[in-house]
Amino acid sequence: MRASTPARDVDAVIRSDSGLLSADLEQLLRVAAGTVVDPGVPGFDPANPVLEDALRLALQAPNADAFAIDHARFLEPRPGSAGTADAAGPARSGPPADGVRPSTVYWAYRNYRGFDPSDETGADFATVRRVAASARLLMKAAVIIDDVQDGSDIRFGRPALHITHGVPLALNTACWMMTTAFQHVEHSEAAHYMIGAARNGFTGQALDMSTRLPEIKRNLAKASGESRIDFWKSVAALKTSTLLQLPVNAAALALDVPDKERALLDESMHVMGVAGQLLNDLVDFLPRYGGANSFSDFKGLKNRVLLELLATHPSEISPAEMTPEELRTFALNHPRLPSVMLRLADDAVRLKQTAKDQVFTLCRTPESATYFDTAIERVGHHINMVAERLHSAPSFDALLRPPAKAE
């Protein structure tokens, strides 16, 4: 495995890789939704005008709309943050430019194969292109299904797919994306890993939704604080960490990255996933950032902040018997809410930095470190932003109240 010699500006490479992935996805979705591939289907007539309209409205349109909100932000962009430097070189800070979504699959290629444009005609680059498109399809399918299961009407500030196209078409689109992804990847080891990752994700979703069941709510309410947190960590590992591990691990398998390095990449993305789930749980308490989906976790006992507050609950009603509105009132009026949120926000910042530092030790060049930092900070900068806002807010009450509507 040779060291890479960067031949282009890192931001330009990121934009080029992002554009190539978008083009590959567009082509894949257009071709797959408009044709029937092997095995052939006797009697299927793609030239039938009614069938053409049906495919366009029931498959192509939901696919296009699912990706139309892909680059939206749920928090305002942050102009800059404290950077990180290590042996691999300084990594830049802050989110990427608007409309650019860096891919950790392409980062893996740049790290292990280099930035030389002449290498982009080889078999490895073609494989990575397939892995990247397949991973993005799987993650998009997971988001669609998650929105349906959680009853989330908004995704990144815009109507979720099941709101614009209905639950049946949204679920069918997600299932179609998954089967298309598994077929498209072609690399056998990467495909096998992706199938296992999808299974882990569905297991995590099942555990997440189990917290709404009366029996599980009772079990969590009477469990020790340590047991409740261990349960939360297991769900986060299966549900959230899996989404970050999937593209990196699939790329590492396709590029035949050494086992030790793959294990470290896997662990770092697990840690980053836990940080990301902490962010999600914190934002659920912050209407100015969470928007219409704020306080949505109170259908069950799954929010980390809420689980921590259960250790001392100033209420005569068992949390297991509380309605979602009662749980919300219980949490918002809890005297330990500010201290718990501040501690968890700091934990998220620390975990994110730990994950980044682990990957930086594997970066072959400073340019690779910069690429990875940019990819992680697309979402990761929100972790720092929320922590800073929590620490600097003159009043927690102001943060917990929805922003006033403009007249």
Side-chain angles (χ1 to χ4, degrees):
M1 197 173 298
R2 64 178 176 80
S4 60
T5 302
R8 288 175 288 173
D9 173 72
V10 175
D11 283 347
V13 174
I14 291 172
R15 288 193 296 272
S16 175
D17 290 346
S18 178
L20 187 59
L21 175 53
S22 295
D24 284 347
L25 275 170
E26 182 180 353
Q27 175 70 4
L28 170 61
L29 295 172
R30 181 171 61 250
V31 170
T35 61
V36 174
V37 294
D38 294 333
V41 178
F44 179 84
D45 180 12
N48 183 298
V50 177
L51 189 137
E52 286 182 353
D53 284 342
L55 281 174
R56 176 175 56 82
L57 295 173
L59 196 54
Q60 292 167 337
N63 270 300
D65 288 351
F67 281 94
I69 64 173
D70 209 36
H71 299 301
R73 298 179 184 274
F74 73 93
L75 295 177
E76 68 270 26
R78 182 170 170 235
S81 60
T84 300
D86 75 326
R92 86 160 190 190
S93 312
D98 288 340
V100 176
R101 181 174 180 179
S103 164
T104 51
V105 173
Y106 277 91
W107 164 79
Y109 178 85
R110 299 301 175 187
N111 187 53
Y112 291 99
R113 295 296 185 269
F115 287 71
D116 189 342
S118 66
D119 290 342
E120 295 173 11
T121 58
D124 277 351
F125 195 68
T127 297
V128 159
R129 287 177 63 172
R130 286 184 168 274
V131 170
S134 298
R136 187 64 57 81
L137 273 180
L138 286 175
M139 288 189 286
K140 177 54 67 176
V143 166
I144 295 170
I145 294 171
D146 185 75
D147 284 342
V148 172
Q149 292 172 330
D150 287 347
S152 299
D153 294 344
I154 301 296
R155 169 62 59 173
F156 298 134
R158 298 174 65 175
L161 195 69
H162 68 276
I163 297 300
T164 56
H165 290 272
V167 170
L169 275 184
L171 290 178
N172 190 73
T173 299
C175 293
W176 182 90
M177 284 180 176
M178 293 181 68
T179 55
T180 301
F182 293 140
Q183 183 180 53
H184 180 69
V185 68
E186 288 192 349
H187 189 281
S188 59
E189 285 186 276
H192 181 75
Y193 169 78
M194 286 181 168
I195 292 171
R199 183 177 62 247
N200 287 344
F202 283 121
T203 302
Q205 283 286 80
L207 293 175
D208 182 270
M209 291 184 292
S210 77
T211 64
R212 306 176 192 176
L213 302 175
E215 181 178 357
I216 304 305
K217 287 177 68 176
R218 287 192 294 270
N219 290 344
L220 284 170
K222 68 183 180 182
S224 67
E226 181 180 4
S227 180
R228 280 195 292 266
I229 302 310
D230 285 344
F231 178 88
W232 179 92
K233 288 179 179 178
S234 295
V235 176
L238 287 168
K239 179 183 174 184
T240 313
S241 294
T242 293
L243 290 178
L244 296 174
Q245 292 166 316
L246 187 151
V248 176
N249 285 344
L253 283 166
L255 296 170
D256 198 25
V257 171
D259 290 346
K260 275 190 174 182
E261 298 198 15
R262 281 200 294 111
L264 186 56
L265 288 170
D266 190 58
E267 171 60 20
S268 67
M269 292 299 95
H270 160 67
V271 172
M272 187 65 199
V274 175
Q277 188 58 55
L278 284 174
L279 171 67
N280 290 341
D281 289 4
L282 288 165
V283 167
D284 199 54
F285 279 84
L286 303 172
R288 292 174 181 272
Y289 303 139
N293 288 335
S294 298
F295 306 114
S296 62
D297 285 349
F298 299 124
K299 300 183 183 77
L301 300 181
K302 69 174 186 175
N303 185 289
R304 175 68 179 270
V305 178
L306 179 59
L307 291 174
E308 298 247 358
L309 296 176
L310 294 184
T312 54
H313 54 90
S315 172
E316 296 179 358
I317 306 174
S318 167
E321 309 304 325
M322 291 182 184
T323 65
E325 185 56 40
E326 288 172 333
L327 279 172
R328 171 178 170 174
T329 300
F330 156 77
L332 293 179
N333 292 333
H334 200 292
R336 293 180 58 240
L337 178 60
S339 62
V340 168
M341 291 185 69
L342 285 170
R343 174 168 55 80
L344 294 179
D346 290 342
D347 284 348
V349 171
R350 174 181 54 80
L351 289 169
K352 186 193 87 168
Q353 193 59 54
T354 297
K356 288 173 64 172
D357 289 343
Q358 287 177 327
V359 176
F360 287 152
T361 66
L362 302 179
C363 288
R364 268 40 178 178
T365 65
E367 290 77 15
S368 171
T370 297
Y371 196 127
F372 181 78
D373 186 71
T374 304
I376 287 300
E377 289 299 330
R378 177 182 179 269
V379 173
H381 79 285
H382 296 147
I383 292 175
N384 296 79
M385 179 194 299
V386 166
E388 290 171 4
R389 296 293 171 83
L390 288 173
H391 278 286
S392 63
S395 166
F396 254 72
D397 289 341
L399 287 175
L400 299 175
R401 287 196 307 270
K405 294 182 179 179
E407 295 183 0

